[in-house]
């Protein structure tokens, strides 16, 4: 799984500070909703034996992953709790 390097972490922190933590939490929910919708499209395509190109799915999951990294910065201890539930 992707672990942001120092430069990427600084960029994530900048996004949180620039847009506000609240705005980024809302953006995270939006990105997860887009990823969920794309997962549904992929499932429907395969259920109906249609070809499905994974580029859009990869893009949406990458966006969700970026937002998860920001959430982990905003909520200290969240990653440890996630490990517990995993």
């Amino acid at each position: 799984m992707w672990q942001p390097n120092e430069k990427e972490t600084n960029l994530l922190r900048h996004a949180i500070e620039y847009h506000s933590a609240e705005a980024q939490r809302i953006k995270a929910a939006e990105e997860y909703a887009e990823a969920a919708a794309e997962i549904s499209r992929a499932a429907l395509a395969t259920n109906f034996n249609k070809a499905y190109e994974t580029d859009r799915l990869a893009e949406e999951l990458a966006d969700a992953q970026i937002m998860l990294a920001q959430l982990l910065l905003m909520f200290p201890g969240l990653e440890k709790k996630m490990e517990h539930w995993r």
Side-chain angles (χ1 to χ4, degrees), residues 6-84:
E6 184 178 349
K7 182 180 178 182
E8 291 165 331
T9 299
N10 289 336
L11 185 59
L12 295 169
R13 283 195 173 105
H14 175 74
I16 294 165
E17 291 171 10
Y18 183 81
H19 296 290
S20 84
E22 182 178 358
Q24 292 308 93
R25 287 190 296 268
I26 293 167
K27 184 67 173 172
E30 177 186 312
E31 294 298 347
Y32 272 87
E34 291 175 3
E38 194 58 35
I39 291 166
S40 293
R41 283 190 279 281
L44 284 171
T46 56
N47 285 346
F48 290 103
N49 295 320
K50 294 182 180 177
Y52 178 78
E53 178 54 53
T54 59
D55 286 350
R56 182 78 178 150
L57 180 59
E59 178 185 350
E60 295 303 340
L61 290 173
D63 288 346
Q65 203 170 39
I66 290 166
M67 298 315 297
L68 174 58
Q70 288 186 40
L71 290 168
L72 293 174
L73 291 172
M74 288 185 265
F75 294 100
L78 180 60
E79 188 167 18
K80 192 83 157 162
K81 290 179 182 183
M82 289 171 63
E83 288 173 14
H84 167 79

